[in-house]
Amino acid sequence: MSDWHALQATQVTELLKVDPDKGLDDHDASERLRTHGPNRLNCRSERSPLLRFATQILQPMILVLITAGTVTVLLGEWVEASVIFGVVLINALAGFIQEGKAEAALMALAESVATETTVVRDGTHRKLNAIEIVPGDLVVLASGNKVPADLRLLASKALRTIEATLTGESAAVSKSTAVQLIDTPLAERQNMAFAGTLVVGGQGIGVVTATGVSTETGRLSQLISQAPVLTTPLMRKMNLLIKHLLLVILVLAALSFAIGVLRGEATFDMFMAAVALAVGAIPEGLPAAMTITLAIGVARLAKHQAIIRKLPAVETLGSTTVICSDKTGTLTENAMTVREIWAGMTSFSVSGQGYEPSGGIVNVEQPATVSGALREVLLAGVLCNDARLLREGQNWTVAGDPTEAALLVAARKGGLDDTTLNTIFPRLDELPFDPDRQYMATLHEIEGIQVICVKGAVEKLLPACTSMLDSQGHELPLVSGVIQATATRMADDGLRVLALVRSELGPNQQLEHANIGSGLVFLGLVGMLDQPRPRAIAAVRTCYAAGIRVKMITGDHPGTARAIARQLGIIGYDGQALTGGELACLDESALRKAVIAVDVFARVEPEQKLRLVRALQANGEVVAMTGDGVNDAPALKQADIGIAMGLGGTEVAKEAAAMVLTNDNFATIETAIKAGRGIYDNLIKFLVWTIPTNAGEGLVIFTALCTGTTLPITPLQILWINMTTAILLGLMLAFEPVERGIMQRPPRLPTAPVLERELILRILMVGFMLLLGAFGMFELALYWGHSLPVARTIACNVFVMVEIFYLFNCRSLTQPCWVNGWFTNQWIWIGSGTMLLLQLAFTYLPIFNQVFQTAPIEMLDWVSICTYSTCCALIVEVEKHWRLAQRKPHKPVHP
């Protein structure tokens, strides 16, 4: 049952068969523990370790390596085979370990509700581990407690809880025992306390309605486990590309074998030639290069305070088209801050960030004089307050309600120290915050007078006021219309508005609610909010310039969400927010349309966050989802890349995410996307560089077989070229810096192939140039009377030299090769120099001549090879220039 909030307290206790005064007896509790099980979550993995490891081996990327290794075994090349199979094992183990870490999300979730709590059994209070709690138990709550299970409250005295991890609501939630409507959203069920949330004020008693997986937190664990482990956009495309490559390679190998046999060649010779073609065409270094490139990207992002938990997620950042961001703590400071004070018919602005008491109070761009009504507002805010400011090193934290903490910080900015004021004017009595009356009152002696300080809702306190203070602190007749209009304006700006009032208590009187009913003096209004991070505003602007839409998905109030979204630039002044209640009425088709048109979603529940992410993905978007709470975990796992907050985030959110921000700053996401785009660029550069080599080698052998000529290169020579160049040349592209203007490009379309048409044409062009150069110079060498080893050595060096020159072409796929500077990537030069030295050894050292069947060549041969390689590089640059001239400029998207 999930409608406990809509039942009377007596109905709840009757249904749960519990005495509301004495609780359960031990026998009944034991029986229920056997029936319902321990109050914890099931965290066992459904897949065995062996199956998880097998899944890593059967990936197409790994199958390419296995195929290449098998071929080298058939050729008797045990060293090369050992290297290839070693890479297979390393890749598989890395994926196996990474997937195991991802499954720790449910373990972290279980720990989030493990705590000691006080229950009433047999009429006595007992301390029990939360794991022993059963439905029907009476739980006693006090400030500082973690709620151990879902509770229907039977008694509440100023009880307030922080539910941000579950609902996204940043402010403390006041609790009551009143019956709620059956369709009341989760974030507004004031008569319920939920497992894993924190009590920050007051006391209460509740009866356990759900434990373990039946709680709201447990329901989220099921959503996490049901969310599929998505492959990244690049991996999906790469798997498809590799399947196509393998198909083409097998067809060409079979065709070459058939042509040779039909021409009367020996079957074994043709089989070995077909194997040579396969070895030449298979990009053996591709999977390893991708893994290393992604790992380099991970290291780069770590320097920008973004920790990647799942390696393929690095490139997903570059594919992102939509960022779904939680508001609290990501786009905002996750700290309530007073932004405006209205006192003495004057509006004052308050500067500063978060709970650090730096900043000031300003009136018309000048520092305000803290006196009169302004001082009285700050004084009342300090005295009528249960929170405390704490300094831990360089950081300021709070104990208590964030709203009350904001009042203390504002007072310090005005020069009033809360510790000193509470010592001078100690609290004599108090009326705790009452959710029904919506105010709190405290009694103090100030200059010999018993003064009542009150803070609360404007609509509750204003009718009880008969006068107000002017700017000098003198009493004037109340101008309620102006006050109400000011409060409305502040609320429309997204501020949470509190009224501060005071009254005097006569001799021999006690502080009672009757004292607050009339005759109050209105002091002023305080407007506060969890304000946007300054860097987040610039980051949102950069994302829109890059063609990435930002959508706010929060459990907070719609008015607050709209105001913050306007300040961030996510929506315009007339932008609207869609609420969770409105989302619940939409079918999947309508929801897919809504996620296109709307950028702010408020009062959203966990399942609805999941629905929103899925709707965006159904529209073909690549979704990045940020969050910090338990309520965000299912959507974080569902998204193409989940991004959790490292400082304020729960362990559940971190384990479900693919990336963790160690500074909880949205601006870091923009930096990470920029780095992700650069990583993706470098992966594509490697592809565009390596495939022509493999294609050229395959074409050379295929042409030789079709024309009946001797193979220009042997299988062993092909392995030498592929393995050495992939490591010393291709991998150097992983160190390429991010190209200028990368965040002015539109995001890649999710439906776009991994290689665009113009890049495929370039690959074919370079492949045919390699065919022409290697095959042509091989035949010319034989024609001029050179031996077969010399001719093959010339052909091998044509491949290597063209690859070196073409490597510089690939430093930018669209711009001239020198656009990033000749020496911004020193590894290109180191790799090229090392490759040249190895190629000289390959050509001139006797041991290499013996192993690879090569022979020394003359200086004139080198001149011809270098001249041809230079011509190839120039042709590629001319082609790039022609393509660049035809490109249309990108227009940024706007909210």
Side-chain angles (χ1 to χ4, degrees), residues 563-847:
I564 296 295
R566 283 196 293 267
Q567 293 180 50
L568 288 162
I570 293 175
I571 60 174
Y573 184 78
D574 297 328
Q576 297 300 308
L578 203 60
T579 65
E582 293 166 331
L583 284 175
C585 300
L586 300 179
D587 60 22
E588 296 308 314
S589 176
L591 183 62
R592 287 180 61 177
K593 294 178 182 177
V595 295
I596 297 174
V598 180
D599 288 330
V600 179
F601 301 90
R603 278 290 187 256
V604 176
E605 297 189 6
E607 295 95 331
Q608 293 170 333
K609 291 185 178 185
L610 197 58
R611 282 189 70 203
L612 288 168
V613 171
R614 286 172 175 166
L616 287 164
Q617 290 172 330
N619 286 338
E621 306 286 358
V622 176
V623 182
M625 172 76 192
T626 76
D628 57 1
V630 174
N631 63 320
D632 298 315
L636 288 173
K637 189 176 179 185
Q638 174 67 39
D640 294 282
I641 177 166
I643 303 170
M645 303 299 109
L647 293 177
T650 61
E651 288 303 312
V652 182
K654 295 174 190 175
E655 292 293 344
M659 183 172 86
V660 178
L661 303 184
T662 59
N663 60 357
D664 289 14
N665 197 334
F666 182 87
T668 304
I669 301 174
E670 175 239 321
T671 303
I673 288 175
K674 181 178 179 180
R677 287 189 172 191
I679 292 162
Y680 184 91
D681 268 9
N682 291 347
L683 285 171
I684 301 303
K685 288 171 185 176
F686 179 83
L687 280 177
V688 174
W689 174 83
T690 193
I691 293 178
T693 305
N694 300 111
E697 289 167 345
L699 286 172
V700 164
I701 294 174
F702 184 73
T703 303
L705 293 174
C706 290
T707 57
T709 58
T710 307
L711 292 181
I713 46 178
T714 67
L716 188 58
Q717 289 169 347
I718 290 172
L719 275 175
W720 164 265
I721 295 171
N722 288 355
M723 299 304 286
T724 55
T725 58
I727 295 170
L728 294 173
L729 299 182
L731 276 181
M732 301 304 106
L733 290 170
F735 298 95
E736 277 297 305
V738 175
E739 292 189 34
R740 288 176 292 183
I742 200 169
M743 289 300 281
Q744 277 70 56
R745 301 181 197 167
R748 299 185 310 277
L749 293 175
T751 55
V754 69
L755 293 175
E756 297 176 357
R757 179 176 174 273
E758 62 184 54
L759 294 179
I760 293 174
L761 292 175
R762 185 180 303 166
I763 287 170
L764 293 174
M765 179 181 72
V766 176
F768 277 105
M769 286 193 295
L770 282 167
L771 166 65
L772 181 63
F775 196 85
M777 289 193 184
F778 171 78
E779 289 295 329
L780 281 174
L782 292 178
Y783 178 77
W784 288 333
H786 289 304
S787 66
L788 181 60
V790 169
R792 282 177 168 168
T793 305
I794 291 173
C796 289
N797 281 306
V798 168
F799 270 101
V800 171
M801 292 306 298
V802 170
E803 284 188 72
I804 290 175
F805 278 78
Y806 182 51
L807 182 69
F808 286 86
N809 292 132
C810 291
R811 293 192 65 198
S812 176
L813 298 178
T814 56
Q815 302 286 335
C817 61
W818 56 84
V819 71
N820 287 330
W822 286 109
F823 301 102
T824 53
N825 181 1
Q826 61 181 346
W827 292 104
I828 289 280
W829 295 96
I830 293 172
S832 299
T834 305
M835 189 67 229
L836 281 173
L837 291 175
L838 279 179
Q839 206 58 27
L840 289 173
F842 176 84
T843 304
Y844 293 107
L845 289 184
I847 188 172

Side-chain angles (χ1 to χ4, degrees), residues 428-478:
L428 305 177
D429 201 356
E430 68 175 297
L431 293 174
F433 182 84
D434 187 323
D436 295 325
R437 292 184 171 89
Q438 294 187 20
Y439 64 75
M440 172 186 177
T442 56
L443 179 64
H444 308 265
E445 183 176 329
I446 301 177
E447 296 178 358
I449 301 172
Q450 301 284 304
V451 176
I452 304 171
C453 297
V454 189
K455 74 172 187 301
V458 179
E459 61 272 19
K460 295 290 184 179
L461 295 179
L462 188 59
C465 295
T466 55
S467 63
M468 61 184 293
L469 296 186
D470 66 8
S471 60
Q472 301 302 314
H474 304 131
E475 288 193 22
L476 297 173
L478 187 73

Side-chain angles (χ1 to χ4, degrees), residues 29-41 130-135 210-214:
S30 298
E31 288 295 322
R32 296 188 187 200
L33 186 61
R34 278 193 289 270
T35 302
H36 296 279
N39 180 31
R40 63 185 177 194
L41 304 179
I131 199 172
E132 301 175 57
I133 299 293
V134 296
T211 59
V213 294
S214 299

Side-chain angles (χ1 to χ4, degrees), residues 194-206:
F194 300 106
T197 60
L198 182 67
V199 178
V200 294
Q203 302 87 36
I205 296 177

